[in-house]
Amino acid sequence: MTAEAPAPDRDALRRRHERRLHLQVPARLEELRALPLFDSVPERARERLLDKVLPKLRTARFPAGEEILREGEYSDTAFYILGGEVEVALGGYSETARPVVVRHAQAAPPRGDGGATWVGRAAPATEPATRRVLAAGEVFGELAALSRYPVSASVRARVETRLLLLKLPVLRLLLAAAPGFRAFVDQRYRERALGRHLRGVALFAGLPDERVEALAARAELRAFEPGERIASEGDPARELLLVRGGLVQVQAQAPDGPRVVTYLRSGDLAGEAGLLLGAPWPFDLVALDHVEIVRLSRADVLDAIALDPAVERRLWESGVVRLEQRGEALADPGVAQAMEALRAAGLVHGESALLIDLATCTRCDACVTACADSHDGVPRFVRQGQRLGRWLVPTACHQCTDPVCMLDCPTGAITREWGALEVTIAESTCIGCGNCASGCPWGNVLMVETGTRADGAPQERAVKCDLCAGRREGPACVQACPHESALRLSARDRAAAARAFGRAL
Amino acid sequence: MPRSVTLWLGVAALVAFVASAAFPLHRLLVRLPERWRPRFRAAAWLRAHRALGALAFLLALLHVRPPRGGAGLLLLGLLVACFLSAGLVEALVKRVPQLLSERLRASEPAARVSDRVRELAAAARALPLAPPARAAFEAQLAPRLERPAWRLRPPRFEDAAALLAPLAVAAGADDVAREALEDLRLLVQEKLELDAQRGLEGALAAARALHAALGGALIGLAAVHGASFWFY
């Protein structure tokens, strides 16, 4: 018989969150000026960058033993160590594991004083270390913040430690302005995550590890700002592009202007036709937000797939699908209009968004009642929201591909299981801080009162649609609708989106 | 038709009616533990409800003979009324959502309508109306604006304009007055739309309630009819 894990103490979690907020103070300009972090920013741009980031920067002093990051939780912050030391523990803290100080100066960005040390490489696979110590001048947490993957190691202060908190917007500004920092982060990503990322792409699933590693070593990492053009129709296509993060709009040029063909997101590929046929780009690729791209050269990909005809077949299949989509968008303006509507309503980010067909919905509220019945009497959505023609987009979680609500959760209560659609909030660890509710761009996280705290204040809890996780019949709202007005739509299912919106707007 | 056949047609009609009448249970069954919960969708259940209802009606018509006495007439009347009420519900289920989605811009969950109406009235009161217009507003419009009403027809542009006609004269002709009047027109329009939403949703709910009541009465009386035949 296994002992049941004790339930987390919600009050203790809330106190930890409040303590951590209390530890933070605004960063000082003089201190920032002296940091090697900004050394690789060109002289003229440095002051401008500092002016821009100063209001957003905080420093925090963590007492010895205080937990900074917990393995498995999501974080939107990278940490620069200003003073002290932190201990990084892979797979939890082990009192018997020997701490190993890993310092790789060769990966450090160019800087003037040479005083700080950077951890620039992953430990070799043979290294038995489960704990590492990072000291002043080093950075951690940046890959989790940028990739939106769960934090891969727990980190706590070894001695009293001062940290500079680099939230995602600051991190992006820094990456754009500091070539040295960019190179450092890219190098880390290449060494620690890119191979895993490539292996996760269906196209390369059958390739031997060494081929994937070779591709990863030669890949070029590029970042694009919102609105920036990644590829232009008619330009020579000499590469395969893998979207690492962000949202890309694919558009084809029609006589009356560009038409939206589809959207690409993390894990999607572009450039198959050019790669196989040597043809120019058949469409434009435009970044809709901060987009991170892995660029694989044509020669490298052809070399890698030479061994495996199945990869070539998959490339042909996905290339043909993309060209068919382009043909559809050019032939039928309704399809492009549907794609635009998806973006306007924020549905393009959704893996499974709830839609209600108002032309058949009798407003009986069976969906809301069924939702409440499946969730202890508290419905997880409101049958009210944006209208797209005859469709209602209710206030219900879209289960975003890249859920921003997870980022600012101080207790890691919001998670998405690997491979699952639903983003869930753990009732036992939600402290009701409301960060997720204010972070959701569509207001789809609801705060409900659950009782009274020990200090007499009302205890709130965040709730959101979890697709009735674990319910074998699927979401109760869809099952309970007697008129089949409620449906779930994935932005990836382009055909379903076109069916729903194509001729209905 | 031989008597035994009509008898069995009646039994089959009663069974079909009872099976059809189980439709409202789908809301309760959602609350059952997982292993007992039906896996099919409510929409499939509704299709079955319609099909069984129609079948039961046909079987009952084949079963029925020229009624002799009040109970037989009542049963036949209930059968026809129940069928007609089903037709009414079907017609409203098709028409009401269309009207709501195509002709109304405002849309609030039913529980929020009263609050929204109060908000509209408060917003209307806050508009900068000239004293004569305000007096006309308080006397003629405010009482109608504050109280949710039933309306079975989506409002047209002229409906709101007609309500505002007494104010239009009193409001004055300057830009501020015109702007305030236009804002008021939008508020009145939304209020009328909410009334229409309330009325149309109410009409559908009333038709459903009527159908359910007639169906319940029909099954009850049919059961008594069957039992009386069995025992006597």
Side-chain angles (χ1 to χ4, degrees):
Chain A
M1 207 170 75
T2 53
E4 213 168 275
D9 180 348
R10 194 183 299 167
D11 274 345
L13 287 170
R14 187 172 46 76
R15 281 196 298 275
R16 173 192 163 217
H17 169 54
E18 283 166 2
R19 196 167 62 240
R20 288 175 64 164
L21 287 178
H22 187 66
L23 293 172
Q24 295 179 24
V25 292
R28 287 179 297 114
L29 186 59
E30 306 77 60
E31 190 176 22
L32 293 180
R33 280 199 182 115
L35 288 182
L37 184 66
F38 298 97
D39 281 358
S40 70
V41 183
E43 195 73 37
R44 277 172 300 152
R46 195 177 305 159
E47 283 304 311
R48 236 184 6 254
L49 175 70
L50 285 172
D51 279 350
K52 214 186 270 184
V53 299
L54 185 65
K56 299 175 184 141
L57 281 175
R58 295 271 183 283
T59 63
R61 192 181 292 276
F62 286 83
E66 179 80 18
E67 190 174 53
I68 301 163
L69 280 178
R70 184 179 296 174
E71 186 176 337
E73 70 184 13
Y74 291 83
S75 159
D76 68 340
T77 309
F79 299 85
Y80 178 88
I81 306 174
L82 295 167
E85 283 181 348
V86 299
E87 187 177 71
V88 181
L90 294 154
Y93 301 110
S94 157
E95 292 309 320
T96 54
R98 183 175 56 88
V100 178
V101 179
V102 185
R103 290 190 173 122
H104 294 277
Q106 71 270 33
R111 58 176 185 271
D113 66 348
T117 312
W118 294 72
V119 173
R121 301 175 74 84
T126 50
E127 193 174 66
T130 54
R131 288 199 293 171
R132 292 186 206 156
V133 174
L134 307 181
E138 294 177 321
V139 169
F140 61 91
E142 78 292 344
L143 287 187
L146 287 167
S147 68
R148 316 270 176 101
Y149 287 133
V151 175
S152 59
S154 296
V155 182
R156 69 179 172 187
R158 213 164 115 87
V159 293
E160 188 178 82
T161 305
R162 271 190 76 230
L163 298 171
L164 179 65
L165 313 186
L166 305 164
K167 289 260 182 191
L168 196 54
V170 175
L171 206 51
R172 282 181 173 147
L173 284 171
L174 201 54
L175 286 169
F181 185 66
R182 168 102 239 172
F184 158 74
V185 171
D186 282 353
Q187 182 65 15
R188 257 196 184 179
Y189 171 73
R190 196 189 298 276
E191 290 169 351
R192 294 185 179 180
L194 181 55
R196 200 177 53 206
H197 192 166
L198 287 178
R199 268 190 289 274
V201 176
L203 184 67
F204 301 121
L207 285 183
D209 280 357
E210 60 274 15
R211 288 269 164 180
V212 176
E213 291 304 332
L215 265 181
R218 286 198 289 273
E220 187 187 333
L221 305 175
R222 300 187 59 189
F224 296 88
E225 294 301 307
E228 209 174 331
R229 198 167 283 261
I230 300 166
S232 296
E233 188 172 332
D235 282 0
R238 303 192 192 93
E239 68 263 290
L240 187 67
L241 303 181
L242 168 64
V243 183
R244 176 182 151 197
L247 193 65
V248 177
Q249 182 168 279
V250 181
Q251 56 188 39
Q253 295 298 335
D256 57 348
R259 286 193 188 161
V260 182
V261 175
T262 188
Y263 299 94
L264 306 177
R265 65 213 85 201
S266 179
D268 286 341
L269 290 166
E272 301 93 331
L275 190 84
L276 294 165
L277 303 168
W281 278 102
F283 33 61
D284 298 330
L285 299 178
V286 180
L288 289 183
D289 50 19
H290 296 274
V291 171
E292 302 273 337
I293 293 278
V294 178
R295 182 184 173 279
L296 304 165
S297 77
R298 183 167 187 251
D300 287 343
V301 177
L302 291 179
D303 189 34
I305 66 175
L307 283 181
D308 190 350
V311 178
E312 191 176 338
R313 185 172 44 79
R314 283 199 289 269
L315 260 181
W316 274 109
E317 283 168 1
S318 77
V320 166
V321 167
R322 197 75 76 215
L323 289 175
E324 280 175 355
Q325 290 176 346
R326 178 180 182 274
E328 276 171 28
L330 288 176
D332 183 359
V335 173
Q337 201 184 356
M339 293 296 117
E340 279 288 2
L342 278 182
R343 184 161 80 99
L347 296 174
V348 72
H349 299 277
E351 292 287 347
S352 181
L354 178 62
L355 290 178
I356 295 178
D357 185 352
L358 291 175
T360 56
C361 168
T362 61
R363 281 69 165 171
C364 66
D365 268 341
C367 49
V368 181
T369 311
C371 180
D373 287 342
S374 305
H375 296 100
D376 303 324
V378 182
R380 301 293 177 93
F381 76 100
V382 182
R383 190 178 55 77
Q384 198 179 16
Q386 196 179 347
R387 273 174 75 162
L388 284 175
R390 59 181 245 205
W391 294 93
L392 173 73
V393 185
T395 310
C397 176
H398 300 336
Q399 319 295 340
C400 293
T401 308
D402 193 0
V404 287
C405 58
M406 291 197 310
L407 292 179
D408 221 7
C409 179
T411 62
I414 310 183
T415 52
R416 170 182 263 159
E417 292 295 320
W418 181 252
L421 280 185
E422 66 275 8
V423 177
T424 53
I425 303 179
E427 192 182 331
S428 56
T429 46
C430 173
I431 57 171
C433 66
N435 286 0
C436 49
S438 53
C440 174
W442 298 280
N444 288 344
V445 180
L446 312 170
M447 300 302 295
V448 295
E449 217 171 294
T450 55
T452 314
R453 283 185 346 212
D455 59 5
Q459 173 67 57
E460 286 193 313
R461 181 161 71 81
V463 295
K464 60 179 274 307
C465 166
D466 59 356
L467 295 178
C468 297
R471 193 173 185 274
R472 62 179 183 173
E473 307 93 323
C477 51
V478 176
Q479 196 202 11
C481 178
H483 305 289
E484 293 184 309
S485 308
L487 61 90
R488 289 274 167 186
L489 182 77
S490 166
R492 287 183 195 273
D493 190 350
R494 195 176 162 285
R499 264 201 311 278
F501 294 128
R503 282 153 202 87
L505 287 172
Chain B
M1 200 180 291
R3 189 171 166 74
S4 63
V5 173
T6 57
L7 175 72
W8 283 110
L9 284 172
V11 171
L14 183 60
V15 170
F17 268 129
V18 171
S20 174
F23 170 65
L25 287 179
H26 77 273
R27 289 196 182 195
L28 299 175
L29 294 181
V30 174
R31 297 175 201 177
L32 289 176
E34 183 163 341
R35 59 183 300 198
W36 300 108
R37 240 174 8 227
R39 296 186 82 158
F40 48 84
R41 293 181 172 197
W45 199 320
L46 181 59
R47 277 197 293 274
H49 170 72
R50 286 185 185 125
L52 284 168
L55 177 69
F57 180 69
L58 283 176
L59 291 172
L61 282 185
L62 289 172
H63 161 77
V64 85
R65 285 180 300 163
R68 288 168 297 178
L73 267 178
L74 183 61
L75 201 53
L76 188 62
L78 272 176
L79 179 70
V80 173
C82 187
F83 188 73
L84 289 178
S85 68
L88 176 67
V89 171
E90 278 300 300
L92 288 177
V93 158
K94 293 255 180 319
R95 189 71 186 130
V96 166
Q98 272 179 3
L99 283 173
L100 291 176
S101 69
E102 289 167 13
R103 303 278 300 277
L104 303 184
R105 275 169 303 169
S107 171
E108 289 285 335
R112 272 265 310 150
V113 167
S114 301
D115 289 345
R116 182 64 191 149
V117 166
R118 269 196 295 277
E119 285 167 20
L120 291 176
R125 281 225 159 74
L127 289 173
L129 294 172
R134 178 160 302 284
F137 168 78
E138 292 294 345
Q140 297 175 32
L141 199 57
R144 297 187 66 169
L145 208 53
E146 280 165 349
R147 212 178 38 249
W150 302 94
R151 186 185 176 90
L152 289 173
R153 192 171 53 82
R156 292 167 303 174
F157 178 87
E158 303 85 61
D159 294 334
L163 280 174
L164 288 173
L167 272 79
V169 180
D174 58 78
D175 284 350
V176 177
R178 269 206 305 273
E179 205 173 300
L181 212 57
E182 176 56 19
D183 289 345
L184 188 58
R185 193 191 64 75
L186 292 174
L187 293 172
V188 170
Q189 178 75 16
E190 187 177 345
K191 160 70 169 60
L192 293 179
E193 290 195 358
L194 289 175
D195 288 347
Q197 181 197 330
R198 196 161 176 259
L200 289 166
E201 286 178 12
L204 181 54
R208 278 185 174 141
L210 175 70
H211 177 62
L214 288 170
L218 176 64
I219 288 173
L221 203 60
V224 171
H225 169 68
S228 63
F229 181 83
W230 183 263
F231 289 111
Y232 302 105

